[in-house]
Structures are given as structure tokens and as C-alpha cells.
Amino acid sequence: MIKQHPEPWLWLLFSAGGVLSAMLMPMLLLLFGVAFPFGWVAAPSHAQMVAVLGNPLTRVVLFALFMLSLFHWAHRFRHTLYDGLQIKHLNEVIAVLTYGVAVVGTGVAAYILWQIP
């Protein structure tokens, strides 16, 4: 039996997270960070936001955005530590910490999204 290395899957999550973050995050930051606070666009009411977040498709998209963004961060941070600090001898510890944070963050995101009525 050939043992498969998880690195291709981690690069897949990294790529998907980068693409999804690049496509959705600027729009969300513009709306919720600039346009709504400065009154350029009428901000949705609490009831409207709850209705939007109550849609299962919205929850799935937000969950995918959070999960893939966290794995994108974890992979980038792991390789930044390897290359920037030259600490390749701590390979397993850094991998467990970075991807562990991504897994925990994904769980927290799922829990929060599940709690929205």
C-alpha cells in the first residue's frame, strides 16, 4: 500500500481559499467596513440580516469562505515560518499548530453559523 502525502490536499485548500477570499472578502469589507458605516448604501436592518443568514445557501457559502480562508492562512503562515525563520526542524509542530488553529476556527465558524436562527 502506498502512503499518500497530504501536501497536495493542503495546496488544494490553499488555492481554493485564496481564490474565494480574493473574490468575496473585498466586496464584504467594502460593504460592511466602508459603505454601510459611512451611509453610502442603506444598511440592512437586523431582521433583514437574520433573514439572509437564515438561508442555507448563505450559510454554506459563509462556511466555505471561513474554512478555506483559515486553511489558506494556515498554509501560508506555515511556509512563511519555514522560509522566513528557517525553522524547518520544527516541521511537525508548526504543521499541527497552524492546521490545528484552522480546524478549531472552522469548528467555531460552523458552531456560530449553526446557532443563527
Side-chain angles (χ1 to χ4, degrees):
M1 181 123 207
I2 298 173
K3 182 181 178 185
Q4 292 186 352
H5 199 274
E7 196 69 20
W9 295 105
L10 296 173
W11 279 105
L12 177 69
L13 290 173
F14 171 78
S15 300
V19 169
L20 198 60
S21 294
M23 291 177 62
L24 295 179
M25 285 294 189
M27 177 179 54
L28 292 173
L29 289 175
L30 177 67
L31 285 174
F32 289 96
V34 179
F36 293 151
F38 287 113
W40 297 346
V41 179
S45 67
H46 179 73
Q48 290 170 325
M49 287 301 298
V50 170
V52 169
L53 291 173
N55 187 332
L57 183 61
T58 304
R59 291 181 189 192
V60 168
V61 169
L62 286 177
F63 178 74
L65 176 66
F66 296 146
M67 180 191 73
L68 292 174
S69 296
L70 285 168
F71 276 97
H72 179 84
W73 165 83
H75 200 68
R76 181 177 293 271
F77 191 64
R78 177 181 147 215
H79 282 280
T80 299
L81 290 176
Y82 289 164
D83 297 335
L85 300 178
Q86 301 294 321
I87 50 175
K88 291 186 177 187
H89 61 285
L90 297 174
N91 181 20
E92 293 179 6
V93 173
I94 292 171
V96 167
L97 287 176
T98 54
Y99 296 120
V101 168
V103 168
V104 170
T106 299
V108 170
Y111 176 76
I112 290 172
L113 287 172
W114 185 263
Q115 295 300 314
I116 296 172

